Every structure is written in C-alpha cells, then in structure tokens.
Amino acid sequence: MSTITTSDGTQIYFNDWGTGQPVVFSHGWPLSADAFEDQMFFLASQGYRCIAHDRRGHGRSSQPWDGNDLDTYADDLAALVKALNLRNAVHVGHSTGGGEVARYIGRHGTERVAKAVLIGAIPPLMLKTEANPGGTPIEAFDQLRAAVLADRSQFWKELSLPFYGYNRLGAKISEGVRDSFWLQGMMAGLPASYFCIKAFSETDLTEDLGRFDVPTLILHGDDDQIVPIGASAMLSSKLIKGATLKVYKGAPHGMCTTLKDQVNAELLAFLK
C-alpha cells in the first residue's frame, strides 16, 4: 500500500495512477479515494498523473481520535503534496473535499497549485447563522450525528438515496453504486464519521476563498440535496476571483458518479 506518515503519526493512504501533470483529488464524507475512480481512470488514460488519498479516519488511512477538522485535513494534504513533490498540480475537491482544497489554499497558498475545481463543495459555510441565513440549521447536523451513533450502517444505506438523487421520481437506481457508498462509509472509522460532521458544517471558508489566485472551476447540481447550491456554489463563485460556475440542471450531490461522462469531459476541457 502507498502511504505517507504525517507529523502526528497518522498514516495516509493514497492512489497514484498515470504520469504527467498531477491532478489531486479530495473526496467527500464519508467516502474514500475510490469515490473518484471514474475521474482518475479517465484522466490517467488521457496523460495525467492522478492522485487521491483517503482522508484521515476514512478508507484505508489510520483512524486517529484527533485531527478530524479542516485545518488538519488541509495539512495532511499539504504533507502528501510535499512528500510526492507535486508542482503545477490541479486540485479537485468534492463536497467536504472542496472545503479541504479551500483550506489547503488558505493555509498553504498556491505555489504548487495550477488550478482548482470545486464539485458539489461545502464552501463558504454550510451552517445557518445570522450572517449566513441561507445555510442549513444546526438541527439538521445534529440529526446526522444522532443517526451515525444510532446505526451508521443503516444510515449509510439510507443516505445513498438522496446523495445520488435516487429518491427522485423516475431515477434509474444502481444498487451497485449504493453498495459502494455503503462499503466506503463503513471503512470510515466512527470518530471520523462523527467529528467530520462538525468540520464540514461549521467551518467558515470565506477567507480561504479570497486567497484563491488560480483559475477555478465550480460545478454543482441544482438538485443537490446534501449541499444545497444556494448557500454554496452560488456564493463561492462570487468570492473566488474569476471563478467559472457551471450549474448542472437536476444533478444530485453524487454527480461524479451519476454524470461521470459529463464531469470527465468538463474536467478534461478545464485541464487543457
């Protein structure tokens, strides 16, 4: 297995496919690097070096009690980039991974970054506050925490339906995709599954977005039931200088899987 060890002794697993300009993928909660396998296989076949890690506590990485927060996630990403000596890299983040990319740029700058892509991403802030009235109420995140503690195996099975838009009328459901979501979710440790909810819901990434100074593409489905577009992409696209926003009509949160051909083509065009 390919791993690096961070300064606090956490082992971070990563996939590293292909050669060429590096494209680094940061996955969402509660998944793993495998969530991006469609994009990685496609882009590696097109002459890019595709790298995706399992966030700490997720997938095949260590499951520490500490560090399940966006500062540490961003520092882990920086450690991976440094260990592999990646330069001129394109960073692609989905959901919580989009927050990881934003905080990585906010904390570590863009010296090694060529471009950024945020897909169904959490920035600038998911939580409803006085300053962010369009956000999601804290009660919704408390319900997520309760569900994770009560029976997280069953919860992952249920969450896969809105995640991929499979609860919509006429949706073509893949039980295989749902099984993959469940498997990836069960590979995440309970501490990460629980603590990451606070990380993705309560971290304000507004200032981080202001530090973006590379070409940035934002992709979001207007039927995203997990990260509603109004309080995320619509705001991020205004906060990131010169960002390009593309809204996918009717697309769900898990669009990298359900609309993989469109997303792959979009990424390739942006990389070129």
Side-chain angles (χ1 to χ4, degrees), residues 146-269:
V148 164
L149 291 179
D151 183 350
R152 85 187 158 101
S153 179
Q154 182 61 32
F155 177 58
W156 299 144
K157 286 187 174 183
E158 292 168 2
L159 185 62
S160 66
L161 290 169
F163 194 97
Y164 296 107
Y166 290 162
N167 57 344
R168 295 309 196 208
L169 194 66
K172 187 184 175 191
I173 298 171
S174 165
E175 291 300 333
V177 165
R178 295 188 67 201
D179 288 346
S180 178
F181 182 93
W182 174 85
L183 177 62
Q184 290 177 64
M186 289 308 294
M187 286 175 73
L190 182 54
S193 300
Y194 184 88
F195 294 131
C196 188
I197 296 169
K198 181 180 179 70
F200 72 65
S201 64
E202 296 181 38
T203 307
D204 190 339
L205 296 152
T206 304
E207 288 187 16
D208 303 89
L209 298 179
R211 296 195 177 102
F212 278 55
D213 58 1
V214 293
T216 303
L217 175 65
I218 300 173
L219 307 178
H220 217 106
D222 68 1
D223 192 32
D224 190 323
Q225 300 169 67
I226 310 298
V227 181
I229 190 171
S232 55
M234 303 311 286
L235 300 179
S236 290
S237 59
K238 295 184 178 79
L239 292 165
I240 297 173
K241 291 186 289 285
T244 301
L245 170 66
K246 299 206 172 177
V247 178
Y248 281 55
K249 190 165 176 55
H253 191 57
M255 59 193 271
C256 291
T257 300
T258 62
L259 298 172
K260 61 184 179 185
D261 292 341
Q262 279 177 263
V263 172
N264 290 352
E266 198 87 68
L267 288 175
L268 183 60

Side-chain angles (χ1 to χ4, degrees), residues 34-169:
D34 297 350
F36 273 119
E37 64 184 13
D38 293 318
Q39 284 67 49
M40 290 180 65
F41 191 87
F42 172 77
L43 291 174
S45 302
Q46 297 287 330
Y48 293 89
R49 179 183 178 187
C50 294
I51 297 145
H53 63 294
D54 291 352
R55 185 170 299 117
R56 67 168 54 214
H58 297 66
R60 292 140 292 204
S61 291
S62 302
Q63 297 186 2
W65 181 260
D66 295 316
N68 295 291
D69 58 80
L70 274 168
D71 283 357
T72 310
Y73 296 160
D75 292 349
D76 289 347
L77 176 57
L80 177 67
V81 167
K82 190 175 178 185
L84 299 179
N85 195 25
L86 303 179
R87 297 187 181 279
N88 196 37
V90 180
H91 281 266
V92 182
H94 173 249
S95 196
T96 301
E100 180 178 287
V101 169
R103 184 49 54 94
Y104 166 71
I105 288 175
R107 281 171 77 82
H108 299 277
T110 55
E111 185 188 348
R112 293 173 178 264
V113 181
K115 296 178 180 180
V117 184
L118 305 179
I119 307 175
I122 60 170
L125 174 63
M126 282 197 74
L127 184 68
K128 181 179 182 177
T129 63
E130 276 187 34
N132 188 44
T136 302
I138 189 72
E139 290 77 15
F141 301 114
D142 289 339
Q143 287 172 1
L144 291 183
R145 278 183 275 265
V148 164
L149 291 179
D151 183 350
R152 85 187 158 101
S153 179
Q154 182 61 32
F155 177 58
W156 299 144
K157 286 187 174 183
E158 292 168 2
L159 185 62
S160 66
L161 290 169
F163 194 97
Y164 296 107
Y166 290 162
N167 57 344
R168 295 309 196 208
L169 194 66

